[in-house]
Each structure stands twice: as structure tokens, then as C-alpha cells.
Amino acid sequence: MNLTPLQKARYEYQPKLPGMLRNGIAEICVKEGSDTQSVADQEKIKALFPNTYGKKEITFEKGQNTSEAKKQVVGVILSGGQAPGGHNVVCGLYDALKATSSDNVLYGFKNGPIGLLEDDYLVFDDEYINQFRNTGGFDIIGSGRTKLETEEQFAVAAEVCKKHGITAIVIIGGDDSNTNAAVLAEYFAAHKTGVQVIGCPKTIDGDLKNDDIECSFGFDTATKTYSEVIGNIERDANSAKKYWHFIKVMGRSASHVALECALETQPNICLISEEVAEKKMSFAQITDYIADSVAKRAEKGMNFGVALIPEGVVEFVPEFSVLIHEINELLAGAKADAFNALPGWKEKYEFIKNGLTKESFDVFAILPETIQQQLFLERDPHGNVQVSLIESEKLFSAMVKANLDERKKAGTYKGKFNPLHHFFGYEGRCAFPSNFDADYCYSLGYNAFMLIQYGYTGYLSKVSNLSKPADEWVAGGMPITKMMNMERRHGEDKPVIKKALVELDGKPFTYFAERRDQWAVETCYTFPGAIQYFGPSEVCDLTTRTLALEKA
Ligand code: FBP
């Protein structure tokens, strides 16, 4: 492999562990806290998890290691979208496992949960794992989105574990994957397989967090990567003074990524999906809001600006979600074949017009043709429109342009509007992890092994006090069932980890909301620059504005 100087230098980086894990394996003891209960629906969750519900929260401390000496054979799985730092979770897990006993073995199941079901794996050794220390990506074993959720799959997983003598499985994933980790842990416990299951909180979206889990890993690096480029675009906009940049950022249905990037870069506009939903904002209202900023800035001679659009925002616009629902119905089952058999867009357009209600067709008709067609192109495995594939940055800029044309006709706007479009998502998911993510992830993996060693199952590896320096971080574990409630999924009530959306009364949103009117009209851009890996701690180890504000 050809190594860049940075890659070589990052191999040498020694991730920081929480203080209580720094004295060597022999000096890590466990302190049990109180019994837990789920965040809601306690009786239902308890009934569904009779073997793993209500366990105690735990923290690790410096002290005599009292765990049972036993050979550990652990399997690790990366699940879902990439997030910077995943490799370090595996490295931390491996290092703790080998430091405990050189006889311990770490299996990596390839390409996500499917690797466990298909018994497709590699066995880690020093030479292999050392190539991945402090690097981005999930290519160490690959990732995938197969869900582990049926009894049949669990039975196969139990067989595979038995075959290799596996004592524990570590699942590195988001809210859905960790929900499945809890269900798998319960299955293994109920069937007395002796296999433990530990989860680790991953997702750049930042929507796996709660009172216990302060943030998911990857959010820090991904938002810093996007913020660097957004800041660069702001500076370009402020230099050339001729473009409005519409930038969509990843984050699925939550707007944590957009909000964090806005706090880092102070753009003119940042939409927050949760606010759109709460205020039931229509397309017309959102468009007017953006066009007002464009017009006010134009009055001051500033025909440029930057608008951040969270990936999932269109889903939250009431009339758009009705339209999506009707399109899903319109193309359900065999009707999709009839639609696809139509010769051209003209015929398809007629079919759509006849199939939608007048209200939804009116919404559809005002969309740019490319967006109209996107709504009928890609379907997810359930046959639904994939809202994340809609180019909402183009949709909003087209609607703002139409709005400004009207204002021009009415003589209320005389500026120029030249939009450019960007989508930042995949660029941030495999970046070299920031020092924060490198340290946090290594700690999560190391800690996950300590949970295994002390016999816990159905727990999420928990490292907290994250806004403080790493030596003050607190390592421990949290029963996954504590984070669960019942939700309706695919027509059934299911136990799931509650997804964390942006809280409109939370400190990060409040800080933003208090300043955004000024940002909309003036030029208040800030330029975070590239992630720094080497240098003073106040430059290299700072975490997100979101976490800093939440913990202030
Ligand atoms: P996870 O929730 O699995 O961490 O993935 C997050 C994410 O990056 C979203 O922000 C984005 O919508 C999605 O994955 C893209 O998925 P894919 O990689 O399948 O295109």
C-alpha cells in the first residue's frame, strides 16, 4: 500500500483513553449503579426482554480487576453507513482483548450483519489491524445494511457462534442496529447460548443520543469536514459576490448535522426539519423565508449567500409528505408495472395527474421537472419513494427563483440570483477521524471488551463527560433496553431505541435561533478550516459546538 505522510503519521497516533482505563487491564474494576427502566412503555418492554431488562448501569473504576479468567472469542460487525472512527472501535476492542490474554481471538464478520449469517469472516492479527489504526472508512471488514431481526436469523447466528466458540458479538451501528443488538442479546440469553452482545453507538447523523449517550461517533469528524468546505464556499461567495450556494447536508430525517454546520459557519440560511414539522411550514412559507433573505441582502448590494438544507427536510413539509404518500399508493404493487410500461414522460405525467388528488397534483405541478421525475425513479425495498435521493437543494433554489421572479414583476426586488448546488454527505463519512473521534472510538471499543470480560450482555458501550479532556471521560455501560420505547413500524408495535431529533427548546437550536435573523441579512460567516490532527489541544481536540452547548 502506498502511504501518504499523513497516513504514516496517523499510524503513530496513540488514542487517548478515559483516565480510569489507562492503568492497564489488571486495574480496571466495575462499579454497579442502580437498576434501570426503559424511557417509556416499561411494562411492554419488560415483557419483551425478560432476560435483559432492568439491568444496572455500570461504570469502570481504577481497582483490582475481578473478572473471570476465560478465553474470549469475540466477533465484531460494522452495520449501516460509514462513520469516521469505526476502525478505531475495532482497534480498541482488539487491543483490550489481546492485553487481557494473547489466547483471545477477534473475528471480523464481513460486509455487515450478513457476514455473521453467511459465516463470512476474517481473524484479526497485529499485521492486519495495524494498517487501519486512526484511519477513516469501514473497509477493515466492510459494512452493510442487512437487519438482524428474525428468529430464523438469530438461530443461524447462534449456530455460527457455536461453530467458532464465540463468546460475544459486538455490533457497531446506529439506533436500528443497536435495537437489533438488544433483541439478539435477549434471544441468546433466552436460549442459554452463553453468547453476550454489546453495542457501540455509531452514526454521522448524530441522532443516536440521549441522557446516557452524549453523541454517536463520526458526527464530530463528518460535521467538521462539511463545515470546512462550507466555510470555504462562504469565503468564495464573499469574494466573488455573485452566487447563492444551496448546500444539502446528510443526516436523514434529523437535522443535527445541518445545525452543527450552521453553528460552525454561520450561513445566511439553515433550515431545520424538526422546526418545519413543528410549525407545519408549507413550501410557500419556506420559499418566502429564503427569498426574503435573498431580497434583503440584494438591497444591500449582496447578491450572494449560503443556504444549508438538511437531507430529509422535504419529508417534513406537510403537503409534500401527503404527495409522497399518494405516490406510494399510486405505484403500489402491479400499478408500478403499468406506469413503467408507459412510453414517455408525457404519458406518465397524464397517469400521475389522473391518479393524484387535486391538492397533491397542485404541489406536484409546481416542482421542477427533474424533481418530478426523481419521485418516480428510485424506490426503496418496500416500494417507497427514497426521499433522501430528492435533490432538495435544487428544489428550493428553483422555488426561490420563481418567488423572486414574481417579486421582480411586482417591482419589489431588483437583485440578481445565480444559484449553485452542492450535496455534502459521502465526503465526510470516511474522513480520517478527528482526534476526538479517534479517541472516543478507541475508548468505545476498549470499553466494549471490558463489558464482555465482566459478563455483561445487552449493553451499549458508554463513554461520557465528552466535552471535557479525555482523561476525565467516564467509561461504563448502559442496558440498551433503557433507551427503548414502543413505536409503530411497518404496521406493528415494535420495541426500538428512541431516535433523537433536534430539540427546539435545546441549547444548540436556541443559540442558532437567537442569531439567525442577523445571519440571514448580514455576512457573518466563520471559517473553521480543515481538521487539525497535530498541534495545540485547543485546536486539535475540540469537539462539536452542539456538544459544547449541550454541556455548557
Ligand atoms: P447510518 O444511519 O447507518 O449511520 O447512515 C447514515 C447515512 O449516512 C445518512 O446520513 C444517509 O441518509 C444514509 O446513511 C445514506 O445511506 P447509503 O450509504 O445507503 O447511501
Side-chain angles (χ1 to χ4, degrees), residues 473-504:
W473 290 358
V474 178
M478 178 54 50
I480 302 176
T481 50
K482 183 180 177 204
M483 300 163 198
M484 290 181 142
N485 66 166
M486 300 298 291
E487 286 179 23
R488 201 94 189 134
R489 297 275 171 97
H490 306 301
E492 277 178 67
D493 285 337
K494 293 258 183 195
V496 294
I497 295 180
K498 206 165 184 283
K499 204 182 256 311
L501 298 177
V502 169
E503 286 175 9
L504 300 183

Side-chain angles (χ1 to χ4, degrees), residues 79-81 145 202-205 250-252 311 388 426 429:
S79 181
R145 291 197 183 278
K202 171 234 69 166
T203 176
I204 64 154
D205 295 352
M250 259 189 186
R252 226 184 268 270
E311 183 177 33
S388 67
Y426 299 96
R429 298 199 313 181

Side-chain angles (χ1 to χ4, degrees), residues 48 117 147-159 183-184 186-188 190-191 494:
L48 288 164
L117 302 179
K147 289 186 191 309
L148 282 180
E149 54 187 354
T150 66
E151 290 262 331
E152 294 73 32
Q153 289 175 324
F154 295 159
V156 174
E159 273 308 305
V183 182
L184 183 64
E186 177 62 31
Y187 177 94
F188 282 165
H191 290 77
K494 293 258 183 195

Side-chain angles (χ1 to χ4, degrees), residues 245-250 252 271 273 283 286-287 290 307-317 320 367-368 370-371 374-375 386-400 419-424:
H245 295 268
F246 284 71
I247 305 172
K248 180 170 86 165
V249 288
M250 259 189 186
R252 226 184 268 270
L271 301 180
S273 306
F283 269 135
I286 300 171
T287 307
I290 305 175
L308 300 190
I309 315 288
E311 183 177 33
V313 67
V314 286
E315 270 181 281
F316 292 89
V317 180
F320 200 82
L367 301 175
T370 46
I371 305 279
Q374 279 165 17
L375 290 172
Q386 291 202 59
V387 184
S388 67
L389 295 178
I390 296 168
E391 294 175 300
S392 41
E393 68 284 19
K394 293 191 180 156
L395 169 61
F396 282 110
S397 94
M399 296 184 69
V400 168
L420 290 177
H421 307 104
H422 315 264
F423 170 38
F424 297 148

